[in-house]
PDB file of all heavy atoms in Angstrom:
ATOM      1  N   ALA Y   7      -9.059  44.475  31.795  1.00 92.00           N
ATOM      2  CA  ALA Y   7      -9.471  43.266  32.516  1.00 92.00           C
ATOM      3  C   ALA Y   7      -8.323  42.703  33.355  1.00 92.00           C
ATOM      4  O   ALA Y   7      -7.156  42.846  33.001  1.00 92.00           O
ATOM      5  CB  ALA Y   7      -9.935  42.210  31.515  1.00 92.00           C
ATOM      6  N   PRO Y   8      -8.655  42.028  34.461  1.00 93.00           N
ATOM      7  CA  PRO Y   8      -7.622  41.299  35.212  1.00 93.00           C
ATOM      8  C   PRO Y   8      -7.007  40.238  34.288  1.00 93.00           C
ATOM      9  O   PRO Y   8      -7.706  39.705  33.408  1.00 93.00           O
ATOM     10  CB  PRO Y   8      -8.390  40.641  36.354  1.00 93.00           C
ATOM     11  CG  PRO Y   8      -9.704  41.326  36.417  1.00 93.00           C
ATOM     12  CD  PRO Y   8      -9.970  41.894  35.057  1.00 93.00           C
ATOM     13  N   PRO Y   9      -5.733  39.922  34.440  1.00 91.00           N
ATOM     14  CA  PRO Y   9      -5.062  38.980  33.528  1.00 91.00           C
ATOM     15  C   PRO Y   9      -5.817  37.677  33.255  1.00 91.00           C
ATOM     16  O   PRO Y   9      -5.901  37.276  32.095  1.00 91.00           O
ATOM     17  CB  PRO Y   9      -3.705  38.742  34.189  1.00 91.00           C
ATOM     18  CG  PRO Y   9      -3.430  40.040  34.891  1.00 91.00           C
ATOM     19  CD  PRO Y   9      -4.774  40.486  35.411  1.00 91.00           C
ATOM     20  N   PRO Y  10      -6.394  37.007  34.254  1.00 93.00           N
ATOM     21  CA  PRO Y  10      -7.102  35.756  33.920  1.00 93.00           C
ATOM     22  C   PRO Y  10      -8.302  35.982  32.987  1.00 93.00           C
ATOM     23  O   PRO Y  10      -8.540  35.184  32.075  1.00 93.00           O
ATOM     24  CB  PRO Y  10      -7.574  35.223  35.273  1.00 93.00           C
ATOM     25  CG  PRO Y  10      -6.663  35.850  36.281  1.00 93.00           C
ATOM     26  CD  PRO Y  10      -6.324  37.197  35.713  1.00 93.00           C
ATOM     27  N   LEU Y  11      -9.025  37.066  33.190  1.00 93.00           N
ATOM     28  CA  LEU Y  11     -10.158  37.369  32.315  1.00 93.00           C
ATOM     29  C   LEU Y  11      -9.674  37.791  30.928  1.00 93.00           C
ATOM     30  O   LEU Y  11     -10.240  37.399  29.910  1.00 93.00           O
ATOM     31  CB  LEU Y  11     -11.035  38.459  32.927  1.00 93.00           C
ATOM     32  CG  LEU Y  11     -12.273  38.852  32.126  1.00 93.00           C
ATOM     33  CD1 LEU Y  11     -13.149  37.653  31.828  1.00 93.00           C
ATOM     34  CD2 LEU Y  11     -13.051  39.923  32.861  1.00 93.00           C
ATOM     35  N   ALA Y  12      -8.603  38.577  30.870  1.00 90.00           N
ATOM     36  CA  ALA Y  12      -8.025  38.976  29.583  1.00 90.00           C
ATOM     37  C   ALA Y  12      -7.601  37.747  28.789  1.00 90.00           C
ATOM     38  O   ALA Y  12      -7.860  37.662  27.584  1.00 90.00           O
ATOM     39  CB  ALA Y  12      -6.840  39.909  29.801  1.00 90.00           C
ATOM     40  N   ASP Y  13      -6.985  36.782  29.460  1.00 90.00           N
ATOM     41  CA  ASP Y  13      -6.569  35.548  28.783  1.00 90.00           C
ATOM     42  C   ASP Y  13      -7.774  34.790  28.242  1.00 90.00           C
ATOM     43  O   ASP Y  13      -7.724  34.252  27.139  1.00 90.00           O
ATOM     44  CB  ASP Y  13      -5.777  34.650  29.735  1.00 90.00           C
ATOM     45  CG  ASP Y  13      -4.422  35.227  30.091  1.00 90.00           C
ATOM     46  OD1 ASP Y  13      -3.940  36.125  29.363  1.00 90.00           O
ATOM     47  OD2 ASP Y  13      -3.846  34.782  31.100  1.00 90.00           O
ATOM     48  N   LEU Y  14      -8.853  34.764  29.012  1.00 90.00           N
ATOM     49  CA  LEU Y  14     -10.068  34.086  28.580  1.00 90.00           C
ATOM     50  C   LEU Y  14     -10.649  34.767  27.335  1.00 90.00           C
ATOM     51  O   LEU Y  14     -11.041  34.102  26.377  1.00 90.00           O
ATOM     52  CB  LEU Y  14     -11.091  34.083  29.710  1.00 90.00           C
ATOM     53  CG  LEU Y  14     -12.376  33.330  29.471  1.00 90.00           C
ATOM     54  CD1 LEU Y  14     -12.101  31.842  29.252  1.00 90.00           C
ATOM     55  CD2 LEU Y  14     -13.320  33.531  30.631  1.00 90.00           C
ATOM     56  N   ILE Y  15     -10.669  36.088  27.336  1.00 89.00           N
ATOM     57  CA  ILE Y  15     -11.177  36.839  26.182  1.00 89.00           C
ATOM     58  C   ILE Y  15     -10.321  36.559  24.948  1.00 89.00           C
ATOM     59  O   ILE Y  15     -10.840  36.290  23.861  1.00 89.00           O
ATOM     60  CB  ILE Y  15     -11.202  38.350  26.483  1.00 89.00           C
ATOM     61  CG1 ILE Y  15     -12.221  38.656  27.582  1.00 89.00           C
ATOM     62  CG2 ILE Y  15     -11.501  39.150  25.216  1.00 89.00           C
ATOM     63  CD1 ILE Y  15     -12.099  40.051  28.169  1.00 89.00           C
ATOM     64  N   LEU Y  16      -9.023  36.600  25.117  1.00 88.00           N
ATOM     65  CA  LEU Y  16      -8.118  36.405  23.978  1.00 88.00           C
ATOM     66  C   LEU Y  16      -8.152  34.979  23.440  1.00 88.00           C
ATOM     67  O   LEU Y  16      -7.885  34.756  22.255  1.00 88.00           O
ATOM     68  CB  LEU Y  16      -6.693  36.784  24.377  1.00 88.00           C
ATOM     69  CG  LEU Y  16      -6.467  38.270  24.629  1.00 88.00           C
ATOM     70  CD1 LEU Y  16      -5.102  38.507  25.256  1.00 88.00           C
ATOM     71  CD2 LEU Y  16      -6.609  39.060  23.337  1.00 88.00           C
ATOM     72  N   ALA Y  17      -8.482  34.017  24.290  1.00 88.00           N
ATOM     73  CA  ALA Y  17      -8.486  32.613  23.882  1.00 88.00           C
ATOM     74  C   ALA Y  17      -9.843  32.149  23.368  1.00 88.00           C
ATOM     75  O   ALA Y  17      -9.980  30.992  22.977  1.00 88.00           O
ATOM     76  CB  ALA Y  17      -8.051  31.743  25.053  1.00 88.00           C
ATOM     77  N   SER Y  18     -10.819  33.016  23.340  1.00 85.00           N
ATOM     78  CA  SER Y  18     -12.173  32.628  22.945  1.00 85.00           C
ATOM     79  C   SER Y  18     -12.206  32.106  21.508  1.00 85.00           C
ATOM     80  O   SER Y  18     -11.881  32.836  20.569  1.00 85.00           O
ATOM     81  CB  SER Y  18     -13.111  33.824  23.062  1.00 85.00           C
ATOM     82  OG  SER Y  18     -14.358  33.513  22.486  1.00 85.00           O
TER      83      SER Y  18
END
Side-chain angles (χ1 to χ4, degrees):
L11 181 55
D13 291 342
L14 184 62
I15 294 167
L16 291 170
S18 171

